[in-house]
Structure formats: structure tokens, C-alpha cells
Amino acid sequence: MTETKTRSPELLLAARAMDDLWEDLFEDAFAYRPMSPMRTDGPLTRRLPRRLAARAAWTPHAAVLGVALITFMAGFTVTGNAGVLLSGLLPAVCVAMTLIRPVGAFWMSMVLMPVSVVVGGYEPWAPSVFVSHLVVLFVVAARTRPRSAAWMWTLTLLLGLVVEGVVTGGAGGPNTAGMAVVSAFALLVVSLVQVRREAQREVTVQRTVTAVERDRRTLLEERTTIARELHDVVAHHMSVVAIQAEAAPYRVENPPPELEQAFVTIRENAVAALTELRRVLGVVRADDYEAPDAPQPTLADLDRLLANVGDAGLVTEKAVTGAVRELPQGVELSAYRIIQEALSNSLRHAPGATARVEIGYVLGGLGLRVVNGPPTAPVKPSPGAGHGITGMRERVAMLNGEMTAEPTEEGGYEVAAFIPAQQTAPGAPGAFKEQV
């Protein structure tokens, strides 16, 4: 039996700290990370003219380059041409490098301090090196996260103690202590500013999310109100139509069979429309609404639809080409609704005309064509019409298909659509699915 050895919390904490140190200061240390322009929507910059505000966005870059120039001039003033490389040029390069490679600039500044001591014979943290390293710490901490500032301060303190201990024989000196105090204060200020900005950013995001949720809740309330009003108006009239259609044959003595069949068809259509209306409005007005188990219509129910519109007076014929196969539910339902709406438009806008429904099963999907002839009877005005074509286009667009709806040369109207269905696995159940 083997014992499972678990690492102590102290070791886990140390390992996590080393991982954070590697991620912050070693991984891709010299990666190219240019400083972004400053935002110009602050309380001061937003009052500036547009051209001046665009230039103000580069203020941090100008400030860093200005400090780099001052560092170079200070080093040149102290040492002259003899030691300008170590005391002026390289510190200035470290400062300027923070604009494009911030972490690399930190490591370059760290290396510069012991090199200036060993090669140049300067004291640890000479004035120009002191200023340049302090600026590097400030800029790099502002461009990274607060955790990086803590690591940089710790490494700076350790480097100063080691170098001063070697040079002074362990006696130490005031420069490292001064660097530790001044850099700690500067990094603390930068970290507090970063934490405050992050908190403001989170508050802004939370406010945005809250506003979106509020708008969504308002939209749901409006949808509920519309659904309630729609149900109260439409459902009432449809119920009246169904009841009157059922009672009408009994008010006529010996009605002809054609009249009785017409009223039966009217009642069946009214009841079917009322049932579907309640199902759709139930989904709109309640999030916890459970749709009934009745299946949605498919192309298999097309013959029933054609018989229904035939009873209403529209003579139709159907033509099917290609290998008939089962398509995804969304494609089947959309195809059925498109044909249904096209035939309804034929009934409404082309009374007395004949219609032809063509369905083509092809490898890439399903083709539909519904065309009717010119009307042979007066066309009655249809208030509220005009949304049927839009609804058909939306269904086709949702499935990445194409559709045309235009008059024919003979005076009729033609609706043609192609709905793609991608094959997933040959011979597998549901081998075609929607492209959504």
C-alpha cells in the first residue's frame, strides 16, 4: 500500500509565487508591447479642441522621452564624454525602452547598476542610474499589474544589498535604503491608482450589465402586454367565428351539402388558428410556459394544407422532384410556413386563380416555388396585409437561404426559395442539418 504524499501549504504557496514571478517578469520579457495613447475623455482633455486633444493623447510618451533626455543630460554633465555611455546614454535608453518593451527595460536597468559599479567605478545607484531605474519602475508598474510592482521592488532591493555588500565589504550604504523607500512610495501610488481604475472598470461593466438586464426586463414586460392584448382581441374574434360557423347550418332549413362543408371548413380553420395562436402567445407571455406536445407541421402535412385551401376555393397542384427525404425540423417547418403563406396570399390577392407548388429535393438543400395565375375575380382590399413576404424572407435568411418574390409576366405572382441543408454523415439518421 503506497502513501499519497501531499505538498504542504507553504510549498504550494512558494511554488505559486515562483510561477507568478516567472509569468510577470521572465516569460516573454523582451516582447514588443507598445504603450497605447492616453484616453482623451477625461474631465480636462474632453474640454480641449479636437486637434489638441488628439495630440494630448501622446502626453505620456512625451513625458517618458523628456525624462530620458534629462537623464542623458544629467549623466553627461557629471562625467563628460568619458563616462557618458554608462552614466547617461544607457540609463536614458532604459527609460525610453519602457515605451515599447517595458519588462525588458526593467531587466536592462537592473543589469546597468552592477555594470556601472564594476566597469565605471561609480558608487551603487549613482544619481543618473538612480533616477532612470526609479522612472523605469514607475512606468513598468503602471503598464503591468500591481503584482509585478511587488516583484520588481523586491528584486531591486536584493540587487542593491548584494552589490553594496560586495563593494563596501558588507558595511552597506545609504543608496539602497533610499532607493527602497522612494521606489516603495512610487510603486504604492501606482498600485493604488491601478486598483482604483480596475474597480471603476468593474463598476462600469456591472452598470452596463444592469442596464442590459433592465432593458431586457422592460422588453419582456412589453411583450407580455402585447401578447395579452393580442390574445384578448384576436382569440375572441376567432372563437366567435368558430361558434358561428358551427351554428350557421342549423339556421338554414335543408342547407345544401356544399354549404355545410364550407361551414365545417371555416370552423376547423378557426379552431386550428386559435390553437396555434394560443400556443405562440403562450411562449411570448410566459418564460415558464411549456409548449404542448403536438408536433409542428412538416412537408408531410402538405397534402392536408392543399386540400384545405382547395376547400376555400384555390385550385392547386403539387410537383415534387428529387429523392424525397426527411429534412431537419427547422427546414421542414420553414418550408411548410412559406408555402402556407404563399397560398394564403394567392387566396387573398388572386381570387379565382390556380396555384402550383413545386418542391425540389437537391443535394445541397430544398428548393421551393409557389406560383399563381392572374386573378379572375375582383380583388377585395386586405387591411393589415404586407407582412407575409417579410416573414418569409426572415425565415429563409435565418437558414442562410435565398428567396425571390415578384410578379410574373402572365399577371400572377411567384415565390421561389432555396433553403440549404448540409449533409453530416451519409446514411446516418438526420443526415442533413440546418446551417444556422
Side-chain angles (χ1 to χ4, degrees):
M1 182 176 179
T2 59
E3 296 182 359
T4 304
K5 295 183 179 180
T6 59
R7 302 173 66 180
S8 63
E10 292 80 5
L11 291 178
L12 291 176
L13 184 61
R16 189 178 301 120
M18 292 299 102
D19 292 340
D20 295 341
L21 174 62
W22 177 266
E23 181 182 356
D24 291 341
L25 298 181
F26 288 93
E27 187 176 3
D28 295 332
F30 286 86
Y32 180 70
R33 301 166 186 168
M35 180 186 291
S36 303
M38 182 182 68
R39 296 178 58 181
T40 58
D41 56 351
L44 296 178
T45 53
R46 71 177 58 172
R47 300 179 181 179
L48 298 175
R50 181 178 303 177
R51 181 176 300 179
L52 189 59
R55 296 178 179 178
W58 301 98
T59 301
H61 302 72
V64 172
L65 293 178
V67 173
L69 179 60
I70 294 173
T71 303
F72 172 76
M73 296 301 297
F76 178 77
T77 301
V78 173
T79 61
N81 294 331
V84 70
L85 178 64
L86 292 177
S87 64
L89 182 59
L90 290 180
V93 170
C94 292
V95 174
M97 192 175 173
T98 58
L99 296 176
I100 54 176
R101 304 183 191 274
V103 180
F106 166 74
W107 285 116
M108 185 174 174
S109 181
M110 289 282 287
V111 172
L112 179 62
M113 194 274 277
V115 169
S116 65
V117 174
V118 176
V119 177
Y122 307 118
E123 62 178 351
W125 301 117
S128 59
V129 177
F130 186 100
V131 173
S132 68
H133 190 73
L134 185 63
V135 174
V136 167
L137 290 178
F138 187 88
V139 176
V140 175
R143 297 196 57 195
T144 56
R145 42 190 170 183
R147 189 176 66 187
S148 302
W151 285 120
M152 290 188 298
W153 183 84
T154 303
L155 293 176
T156 298
L157 179 61
L158 292 177
L159 177 65
L161 292 176
V162 170
V163 172
E164 284 194 351
V166 172
V167 173
T168 62
N175 290 352
T176 298
M179 170 62 72
V181 173
V182 176
S183 62
F185 179 77
L187 295 178
L188 179 61
V189 172
V190 173
S191 300
L192 290 177
V193 172
Q194 283 186 314
V195 171
R196 182 173 178 272
R197 287 181 178 177
E198 185 64 26
Q200 290 179 340
R201 190 179 300 111
E202 292 181 358
V203 170
T204 302
V205 172
Q206 188 62 34
R207 288 178 178 175
T208 303
V209 173
T210 303
V212 171
E213 292 296 332
R214 187 185 303 112
D215 294 340
R216 186 177 302 174
R217 184 170 59 252
T218 303
L219 178 61
L220 290 176
E221 293 175 355
E222 293 177 354
R223 289 172 57 186
T224 302
T225 302
I226 295 173
R228 185 182 300 111
E229 294 177 354
L230 198 61
H231 179 272
D232 293 342
V233 175
V234 180
H236 168 72
H237 290 290
M238 294 299 294
S239 300
V240 172
V241 170
I243 294 173
Q244 290 182 345
E246 184 178 9
Y250 299 100
R251 298 183 178 181
V252 180
E253 185 177 358
N254 298 324
E258 294 81 3
L259 181 61
E260 291 183 351
Q261 182 60 38
F263 281 117
V264 170
T265 302
I266 294 173
R267 183 183 181 280
E268 290 178 351
N269 288 334
V271 172
L274 184 60
T275 302
E276 188 166 351
L277 176 66
R278 286 173 175 169
R279 178 170 65 245
V280 173
L281 294 183
V283 175
V284 173
R285 65 189 300 182
D287 293 337
D288 56 350
Y289 174 81
E290 295 184 2
D293 296 333
Q296 295 284 357
T298 63
L299 292 177
D301 304 315
L302 188 58
D303 291 336
R304 187 185 310 168
L305 173 64
L306 298 181
N308 195 355
V309 296
D311 293 338
L314 179 63
V315 178
T316 60
E317 59 176 328
K318 182 181 72 171
V320 180
T321 58
V324 179
R325 63 181 183 276
E326 183 178 355
L327 297 173
Q329 183 179 1
V331 175
E332 293 266 353
L333 176 61
S334 296
Y336 181 91
R337 294 302 189 197
I338 291 171
I339 296 174
Q340 183 184 42
E341 181 62 31
L343 294 177
S344 298
N345 288 342
S346 299
L347 275 171
R348 187 182 305 114
H349 302 292
T354 59
R356 178 179 175 83
V357 178
E358 298 177 0
I359 304 174
Y361 291 86
V362 296
L363 184 61
L366 180 70
L368 301 175
R369 182 174 180 266
V370 181
V371 58
N372 62 265
T376 60
V379 180
K380 298 180 180 179
S382 180
H387 300 288
I389 299 296
T390 303
M392 287 189 284
R393 293 188 187 278
E394 290 176 350
R395 287 184 180 273
V396 174
M398 181 181 63
L399 298 173
N400 295 330
E402 298 178 356
M403 173 184 156
T404 59
E406 56 189 4
T408 62
E409 296 180 357
E410 295 78 11
Y413 204 82
E414 178 188 75
V415 175
F418 176 77
I419 304 176
Q422 183 179 2
Q423 187 173 5
T424 56
F432 288 80
K433 65 179 182 179
E434 301 173 60
Q435 292 181 340
V436 180

